[in-house]
Amino acid sequence: MAAEYMHQDLLRLATAGSVDDGKSTLVGRLLYDTKSVLADQLDAVHRASVDRGLTTPDLALLVDGLRSEREQGITIDVAYRYFATAHRSFILADTPGHVQYTRNTVTGASTAQVAMVLVDARKGVVAQTRRHTAVLALMGVPKLVLAVNKIDLVDHDESAFAPIAKEFLAHATALGYAESDVLAVPVSALVGDNVVEPSPRTPWYTGPTLLRHLETVSVAPEVHDAPLRFPVQHVIRPRTSEHPEYRGYAGQIAAGTATVGDEVLVLPAGIRSTLTGIDTMDGPLTEAGVGRSVTLLLADDLDVCRGDVIVASSAPPTVTDELDATVCWLSETPSRPGASVLLKHGTRTVSAVVVSIDARFDEQNLSTVHDPESLRLNQIGRLTLRTSEPLPVDDYTTSRRTGSFLLIDPADGATLAAGLIGAPLAVLERGRRPS
């Protein structure tokens, strides 16, 4: 990334869409038109396009190489791409469209501020569109942009675009989005209509181009005044002659700000202490914010270990061994009550049991099924879990990092589900039975 872009506003993007909706071409178009492609990459694309008898470069080739490897399970879960314009820098989580890769959409959405959902203008909103949108809502992605692609293949006809945009908006708002958080744009990734430059072939569309919207869409900045959450990854005790008494707790600040002098709690034990130092590779700090990797020093000689969480004493999370959670089931093996699993929360992994499956959400018709027998691949539902040890947890709507977890198969280490504490999906919450 060019040095002049290093200090720009950063937007985290995720893509979602069905197979053959043109996502590769659109991502390639964004990279190409923002001049984010190296000369040798572009030369290779030109040569491959000529070999295929094409008169224009096939921009999908810019991303399909990595995608092919990923879909064979070789190297990559989510391909992250970086580009910048004069107005903003972007990190784009490019996720595959096949239904069996919905788990990758969960991964990409977990940090996204805006999701770009693609549909084919000839097919409109399909089952995978509704599934992806439910996952994006579940993961709390704040803004959506619907790219109605291949508008050139429907003669740039507004009557093809309008009903798709209307249907998508209705589905998104039913999932909890405000109308102002959703924008639909008619585009042709192949020829560039409304991707970077406004298209003269869609005079009926008066909104921004896709890139202009991404450059200007307002997203909430990371919250630095949230209560401190610091999962301990490693205890540093060098025991050298130079540092005979040094004891530091290394990790990344998941939420809030650490300030020397602050009173903190070490959870789950609930031991109180005071921050006396913040060490980094660049030297000591008096204050460090969310996302910063640091080593914290405490005033007291405590028995702190990996998996513990250092938190603000004024606003600690809930410490509990029973979780009411929403999950997206990501395994071919269905969930079942009584199943033993591993639960990974932050830097701690504990044994857990699925006590009950309380509800399943049908993302196609936005209905709730109570007390289902199981949750199957890609289904969203609510579980009650009991853990072998108390965990300090936040509601996902309060803190993405400390409000989320993974369920893991103890037999083979495979990921079973992505879980969120509480009920972040409003429509699922509304479907709960009165207690």
Side-chain angles (χ1 to χ4, degrees):
M1 190 174 292
E4 62 266 32
Y5 297 143
M6 291 294 290
H7 301 291
Q8 283 188 338
D9 178 27
L10 175 67
L11 184 73
R12 294 181 180 275
L13 274 172
T15 61
S18 303
V19 177
D20 296 329
D21 56 13
K23 188 149 45 65
S24 296
T25 305
L26 183 59
V27 172
R29 169 66 63 183
L30 281 171
L31 298 176
Y32 178 78
D33 284 354
T34 55
K35 298 179 172 51
S36 304
V37 183
L38 298 176
D40 59 337
Q41 291 177 306
L42 194 55
D43 288 343
V45 168
H46 277 292
R47 287 195 300 274
S49 300
V50 170
D51 290 344
R52 296 181 181 190
L54 302 175
T55 56
T56 57
D58 182 357
L59 299 178
L61 295 175
L62 288 171
V63 296
D64 274 350
L66 289 176
R67 178 163 296 145
S68 175
E69 286 189 340
R70 178 181 55 206
E71 290 176 358
Q72 293 175 53
I74 296 175
T75 54
I76 301 168
D77 287 332
V78 177
Y80 288 92
R81 309 179 191 286
Y82 306 86
F83 65 99
T85 69
H87 303 281
R88 184 172 258 176
S89 299
F90 302 89
I91 298 177
L92 187 152
D94 183 16
T95 64
H98 294 81
V99 66
Q100 65 266 39
Y101 293 109
T102 301
R103 66 178 184 272
N104 303 80
T105 303
V106 173
T107 302
S110 63
T111 57
Q113 297 162 296
V114 176
M116 191 167 59
V117 182
L118 267 76
V119 299
D120 185 323
R122 299 167 300 176
K123 301 175 183 175
V125 174
V126 297
Q128 186 73 326
T129 313
R130 290 186 283 271
R131 180 176 296 112
H132 279 159
T133 309
V135 169
L136 297 171
L138 178 70
M139 302 304 293
V141 179
K143 307 271 185 174
L144 302 180
V145 54
L146 176 71
V148 182
N149 193 24
K150 306 184 183 182
I151 197 71
D152 53 314
L153 298 184
V154 293
D155 298 325
H156 301 92
D157 190 350
E158 183 181 12
S159 66
F161 168 80
I164 296 173
K166 182 178 180 180
E167 181 180 356
F168 182 81
L169 180 63
H171 189 69
T173 53
L175 288 166
Y177 285 98
E179 289 190 16
S180 57
D181 291 334
V182 183
L183 176 73
V185 185
V187 303
S188 169
L190 183 65
V191 298
D193 286 324
N194 295 321
V195 178
V196 174
E197 300 294 336
S199 172
R201 292 176 285 272
T202 56
W204 44 267
Y205 176 71
T206 57
T209 65
L210 180 63
L211 182 62
R212 186 59 181 160
H213 177 65
L214 297 177
E215 287 179 327
T216 57
V217 63
S218 175
V219 292
E222 288 188 284
V223 179
H224 289 265
D225 59 356
L228 173 66
R229 300 290 186 262
F230 182 81
V232 175
Q233 293 180 345
H234 185 60
V235 179
I236 298 177
R237 296 188 67 190
R239 295 181 176 176
T240 61
S241 57
E242 187 178 359
H243 302 289
E245 303 298 331
Y246 188 95
R247 179 193 287 263
Y249 308 105
Q252 186 181 60
I253 298 174
T257 301
T259 304
V260 172
D262 279 356
E263 187 180 71
V264 296
L265 285 176
V266 180
L267 298 177
I271 306 169
R272 195 173 297 269
S273 188
T274 302
L275 283 182
T276 57
I278 303 171
D279 287 346
T280 74
M281 294 293 289
D282 302 320
L285 301 174
T286 56
E287 186 175 277
V290 59
R292 189 77 189 258
S293 294
V294 298
T295 298
L296 300 185
L297 308 179
L298 300 182
D300 303 284
D301 187 9
L302 305 178
D303 182 19
V304 179
C305 61
R306 174 182 168 83
D308 287 348
V309 186
I310 298 174
V311 307
S313 63
S314 58
T318 301
V319 180
T320 179
D321 62 359
E322 186 159 303
L323 304 180
D324 179 15
T326 304
V327 301
C328 184
W329 200 257
L330 304 174
S331 172
E332 297 279 359
T333 304
S335 66
R336 58 180 175 77
S340 296
V341 297
L342 295 177
L343 188 151
K344 186 176 189 308
H345 175 256
T347 55
R348 181 184 292 262
T349 300
V350 300
S351 299
V353 173
V354 178
V355 176
S356 60
I357 303 172
D358 305 316
R360 175 173 61 79
F361 173 61
D362 186 332
E363 77 282 354
Q364 299 300 318
N365 59 27
L366 304 178
S367 63
T368 302
V369 178
H370 295 286
D371 304 321
E373 292 184 358
S374 64
L375 291 179
R376 297 182 181 277
L377 179 65
N378 295 331
Q379 289 184 334
I380 295 171
R382 291 181 64 87
L383 300 179
T384 300
L385 297 157
R386 184 171 296 120
T387 59
S388 59
E389 304 170 26
L391 297 175
V393 298
D394 287 296
D395 193 284
Y396 183 76
T397 56
T398 303
S399 173
R400 277 187 173 187
R401 290 277 300 278
T402 51
S404 59
F405 61 86
L406 293 175
L407 295 183
I408 298 169
D409 189 332
D412 59 12
T415 300
L416 296 172
L420 315 174
I421 309 297
L425 198 58
V427 68
L428 186 55
E429 175 68 6
R430 287 197 298 271
R432 298 185 74 183
R433 288 173 171 170
S435 57

